[in-house]
Amino acid sequence: MDDKVPKYLALKQQIGDWLQEGRYKADEQMLSENELAAMFGLSRQTVRQTIGELVNDGLLYRVQGKGTFVSRLRVRTAGDTPTIGMVTTYISDYIFPHIVRGAESELSRRGCGLLLSSTDNDKLKERDSLERMLSYPASGLIIEPTKSAQGNANMDLYIRLELEGIPFVMINERYSGLDCPCIRVDDEAGGYEAASHLISLGHRELAGFFKTDDIQGTMRMKGFMRACREKGIPLHPERLVLYSSEDKHGKPLEAASRLLTGDRRPTALVCYNDELAVRLVDAAAGLGLSVPGDLSLTGFDDSAYAVAGPVKLTSLTHPKAELGIKAAETLLGLIEGRPGEAKEFVYKPELVIRDSTAALEK
């Protein structure tokens, strides 16, 4: 089983594949919870959760004292219940489980199966994921582009999707040149709001940390820079820290250490996301600086990271599960011949103010 997929979803996908392949006939008894747990090395609780969802979906039914059986009316065969493919950069990390669960809940409610794949933010793996989705075949796809700021290396496969009439929706961003719906956050507005908040607190020595191999990061940087320009805050090249996915564990921390121990250090940092912000809070503490006493700091995504540590992060919201639900709704509309009015649905992020930002003491 794919260790990047939440365990209960991976098992659900596996059983769904068995039913799709005709491995079990209508009214045939499914393996017991103990047998499934032993086969896949899972806990009984995880297996029970999966079986419960499949029963709710109508694919299985329980007989008291006898076990679980395959539903007669809902045995999946080719051309029957739609199977939706979902390709994201990550599945089990950060905010992605919430996005996947949102999509899965809506698809399950509408009687659809879900096939998950992760690219690990690698364009070659994106190609492999798309090829597997094309061969399955899926009735439609929800796709998060991989390193979207670096262009679309797999345009030929996206053209194949269009030629074969397989609708797809993109989340978080959309590759240039594709004519598909996109469900995303207004990242530029978020970057602008974060910088403006810090400036309103009296901070004039700002630094920004942005991952720029995806469009989300470049737009957050654009908003940060626009706020600084509009409000007369000087932009120093060394205070604009840009990094790629491969460098995210090293370069930002090295740059922060250099900036925070140098002359005229920044008093406030705007971070690409909460994951980085938490790491920079720890880095500041290691240098003897307190947040927000010596350094104010903002995150992005209002994730679990924002409230997990001793310093609660000021952060911009991301719809997470709601985004997944909206993507599923939009895709099913395309499949059912209801394309909707707009090619783009944009969420406006809201600033949630917590402990990590404070007025600059003069």
Side-chain angles (χ1 to χ4, degrees):
M1 298 178 69
D2 189 342
D3 60 7
K4 297 183 178 63
V5 180
K7 292 178 179 179
Y8 84 96
L9 278 180
L11 179 58
K12 185 175 181 181
Q13 182 173 309
Q14 178 63 69
I15 295 174
D17 287 346
W18 288 345
L19 300 183
Q20 178 82 19
E21 295 161 1
R23 177 168 171 174
Y24 290 89
K25 307 301 182 186
D27 297 320
E28 185 176 351
Q29 187 168 8
M30 176 59 62
L31 293 171
S32 70
E33 290 180 1
N34 283 336
E35 289 170 327
L36 288 169
M39 179 180 292
F40 294 105
L42 301 174
S43 68
R44 279 284 302 278
Q45 181 178 354
T46 298
V47 174
R48 191 172 296 116
Q49 178 185 1
T50 302
I51 296 299
E53 291 200 5
L54 289 166
V55 169
N56 290 337
D57 292 349
L59 297 176
L60 303 176
Y61 66 92
R62 289 190 175 105
V63 177
Q64 185 68 32
K66 292 187 176 180
T68 305
F69 297 80
V70 177
S71 172
R72 174 175 293 278
L73 298 179
R74 294 294 300 278
V75 177
R76 293 186 183 179
T77 58
D80 187 11
T81 304
T83 297
I84 303 303
M86 189 168 188
V87 179
T88 58
T89 52
Y90 304 100
I91 292 175
S92 59
D93 295 335
Y94 196 47
I95 63 173
F96 294 98
H98 302 283
I99 298 173
V100 171
R101 285 174 191 143
E104 196 272 341
S105 67
E106 179 62 18
L107 293 171
S108 176
R109 188 181 72 82
R110 302 279 290 274
C112 298
L114 177 63
L115 191 65
L116 291 172
S117 185
S118 168
T119 70
D120 291 325
N121 219 23
D122 181 301
K123 288 188 179 290
L124 288 176
K125 290 185 179 180
E126 180 189 53
R127 185 170 195 85
D128 179 64
S129 294
L130 292 173
E131 287 175 339
R132 283 190 283 116
M133 294 296 178
L134 279 161
S135 67
Y136 189 71
S139 301
L141 299 177
I142 298 170
I143 304 169
E144 183 194 21
T146 293
K147 294 188 176 180
S148 53
Q150 296 182 357
N152 185 355
N154 298 311
M155 181 62 84
D156 58 320
L157 295 180
Y158 286 100
I159 292 174
R160 273 188 60 192
L161 289 172
E162 293 176 351
L163 287 174
E164 295 184 21
I166 301 174
F168 58 94
V169 171
M170 289 201 149
I171 57 173
N172 289 330
E173 259 305 334
R174 174 175 49 204
Y175 284 128
S176 175
L178 293 180
D179 185 29
C180 65
C182 179
I183 319 298
R184 67 177 183 86
V185 171
D186 190 338
D187 291 291
E188 180 179 353
Y192 181 90
E193 186 72 16
S196 297
H197 171 65
L198 293 168
I199 294 168
S200 73
L201 293 174
H203 296 277
R204 294 187 60 82
E205 306 292 340
L206 272 64
F209 292 70
F210 302 100
K211 186 166 78 71
T212 54
D213 50 7
D214 60 54
I215 295 174
Q216 299 96 294
T218 63
M219 297 308 293
R220 293 173 192 182
M221 176 185 69
K222 183 178 179 182
F224 167 81
M225 295 175 68
R226 179 162 63 87
C228 290
R229 289 189 180 113
E230 287 183 6
K231 301 175 189 303
I233 304 301
L235 286 168
H236 301 283
E238 68 276 8
R239 292 186 182 175
L240 197 59
V241 180
L242 312 181
Y243 62 97
S244 67
S245 299
E246 291 76 15
D247 297 330
K248 70 178 185 178
H249 295 296
K251 186 174 180 179
L253 292 180
E254 293 167 4
S257 179
R258 184 172 62 253
L259 289 171
L260 296 177
T261 55
D263 297 333
R264 198 178 174 184
R265 66 172 177 81
T267 62
L269 309 180
V270 173
C271 301
Y272 167 74
N273 64 11
D274 295 340
E275 184 178 27
L276 175 62
V278 167
R279 295 172 66 213
L280 293 187
V281 168
D282 291 341
L287 297 171
L289 301 174
S290 67
V291 175
D294 301 309
L295 181 71
S296 284
L297 183 147
T298 63
F300 205 117
D301 296 324
D302 196 27
S303 67
Y305 283 91
V307 294
V311 178
K312 312 306 178 188
L313 295 178
T314 294
S315 184
L316 278 302
T317 58
H318 186 291
K320 306 179 194 66
E322 185 181 345
L323 183 143
I325 292 170
K326 183 66 178 179
E329 290 175 343
T330 303
L331 180 61
L332 292 176
L334 293 176
I335 293 171
E336 295 166 2
R338 298 180 290 101
E341 298 179 0
K343 282 289 185 182
E344 194 165 65
F345 190 91
V346 182
Y347 291 91
K348 180 70 179 293
E350 297 180 2
L351 186 71
V352 180
I353 300 174
R354 297 192 182 94
D355 304 339
S356 67
T357 55
L360 181 67
E361 296 184 8
K362 299 184 178 180

